[in-house]
Amino acid sequence: MDWKKLCKAILFPHIAIMIILVPIATACLVVSMVLVGTESAVAIASYVLAAYTLTVWCFRIPYLIRFFKAFKNENIYAKRLQDDARLRVNISLYGSLAWNALYGIFQLWLGFYHHTFWFYSLGAYYICLAVMRFFLVRHTRKYAPGQRMKTELVKYRACGWIFLIMNLALALIIFFMVYFNRTFKHHMITAIAMAAYTFTAFTVAIVNVVKYKKYKSPVFSASKAISFAAACVSMLTLTSTLLTTFSDGTMGAMEQKMMLGSVGGAVSIVVVAMAIYMIATGTKKLKAINTGGRNGS
């Protein structure tokens, strides 16, 4: 028996086998945690399978990096997407616009159905996000970044004002969470998935806010500010979910309300500060452009 080939086959299986292992390992973990129990033989086997799946994928990371680099450099569509910041922003705006609009309408419907301001508040928040993204995508679809700087600054400042209006809906969300102890309770696996998504979205939003400043386009900056505001509110919802889902009785109701109030207050302050910065910066640059135009005429 060739042990070297056997070890290679175990540690570096065919890519098709690796792809099949991912849903199988995930399904086994879910079944063992939800239906079977975490200390059964089935659960232990699912842990081993999940650890093996993760290990073989980690061994493939260098190959995957080389593959995606080659794909990015050779595929014309991937290369265009990499080089064209305007195209990336447009795709992001269209996708986020559709998501925010549908989710906002769904929350409004829940408000009508349950007759509660809780869902009205969430619906108003996401509808505002959709309006802002539609406001921006109309410009990025027609013009290149920086082509009409004055128009971009007007839209940038307008988004700041909309952020202030959005903060009213956000304040209602925080009020319902804290005063009426309105929280979200999910299964542990769902809560963990939400945490992974929220932290990923939050990290990507921060990176994009910094990354897209180099294009010196107020519309690009506004689009990433919207994503950052959405990530902040997702962080607030996640805090509520984690406090409810993983509560073991050691934290009292008042302490939970204080924590939710603190996180909610911090999120609200960040949104307001961002809105004020956008309004002040947009106004200042517009005045500079107008003054320069008058002096040059």
Side-chain angles (χ1 to χ4, degrees):
M1 181 181 291
D2 193 336
W3 292 101
K4 185 176 181 180
K5 288 185 177 179
L6 178 62
C7 290
K8 185 177 180 180
I10 293 174
L11 296 177
F12 298 94
H14 193 273
I15 189 67
I17 297 176
M18 293 174 60
I19 294 174
I20 294 172
L21 279 174
V22 173
I24 293 176
T26 303
C28 289
L29 277 177
V30 172
V31 170
S32 64
M33 290 182 179
V34 176
L35 301 177
V36 180
T38 57
E39 297 180 357
S40 64
V42 175
I44 294 173
S46 68
Y47 298 153
V48 173
L49 179 62
Y52 171 72
T53 303
L54 179 62
T55 300
V56 296
W57 274 102
C58 287
F59 284 152
R60 286 277 186 169
I61 287 177
Y63 166 79
L64 292 174
I65 292 174
R66 290 194 300 270
F67 171 80
F68 283 113
K69 280 185 176 180
F71 177 81
K72 182 179 65 175
N73 294 328
E74 295 172 5
N75 186 275
I76 57 174
Y77 299 107
K79 194 171 183 180
R80 182 186 174 191
L81 185 64
Q82 177 192 3
D83 298 335
D84 194 341
R86 179 185 173 191
L87 177 62
R88 292 199 305 271
V89 171
N90 280 339
I91 292 174
S92 173
L93 282 172
Y94 275 116
S96 301
L97 170 61
W99 165 253
N100 291 151
L102 291 174
Y103 192 71
I105 293 171
F106 174 67
Q107 292 296 329
L108 289 177
W109 177 83
L110 288 177
F112 283 114
Y113 184 80
H114 294 286
H115 303 289
T116 172
F117 280 106
W118 166 254
F119 294 114
Y120 287 137
S121 302
L122 285 175
Y125 178 81
Y126 284 100
I127 289 295
C128 284
L129 284 181
V131 170
M132 293 172 73
R133 294 186 192 278
F134 176 75
F135 195 49
L136 297 177
V137 78
R138 289 185 61 191
H139 181 87
T140 58
R141 185 170 54 88
K142 295 179 180 178
Y143 306 108
Q147 184 177 349
R148 296 200 172 188
M149 184 59 68
K150 187 174 181 178
T151 304
E152 287 197 33
L153 287 170
V154 170
K155 294 181 181 293
Y156 180 77
R157 184 176 61 178
C159 286
W161 285 111
I162 297 175
F163 269 131
L164 288 180
I165 298 172
M166 285 171 54
N167 199 60
L168 295 176
L170 181 59
L172 282 174
I173 294 173
I174 298 168
F175 175 76
F176 274 99
M177 275 187 172
V178 176
Y179 188 79
F180 291 109
N181 197 27
R182 192 66 184 268
T183 55
F184 303 90
K185 188 173 183 179
H186 300 281
H187 190 274
M188 181 179 65
I189 296 176
T190 305
I192 293 173
M194 287 177 62
Y197 168 79
T198 301
F199 282 111
T200 301
F202 193 76
T203 302
V204 171
I206 294 175
V207 170
N208 283 337
V209 167
V210 177
K211 179 181 177 181
Y212 278 81
K213 287 187 70 175
K214 68 181 181 180
Y215 295 105
K216 300 186 184 302
S217 170
V219 167
F220 281 13
S221 297
S223 69
K224 299 310 168 184
I226 296 171
S227 299
F228 179 69
C232 287
V233 175
S234 296
M235 190 67 71
L236 173 62
T237 305
L238 176 64
T239 302
S240 172
T241 299
L242 295 180
L243 285 174
T244 306
T245 304
F246 295 99
S247 176
D248 56 359
T250 58
M251 181 178 289
M254 184 56 66
E255 292 174 318
Q256 289 188 8
K257 287 185 177 183
M258 289 178 63
M259 179 170 287
L260 275 176
S262 299
V263 175
V267 169
S268 183
I269 290 172
V270 167
V271 173
V272 170
M274 187 165 56
I276 293 173
Y277 173 81
M278 293 172 71
I279 294 169
T281 302
T283 301
K284 181 180 178 181
K285 291 185 177 181
L286 281 171
K287 286 183 178 178
I289 290 175
N290 292 332
T291 302
R294 286 195 297 267
N295 291 339
S297 58

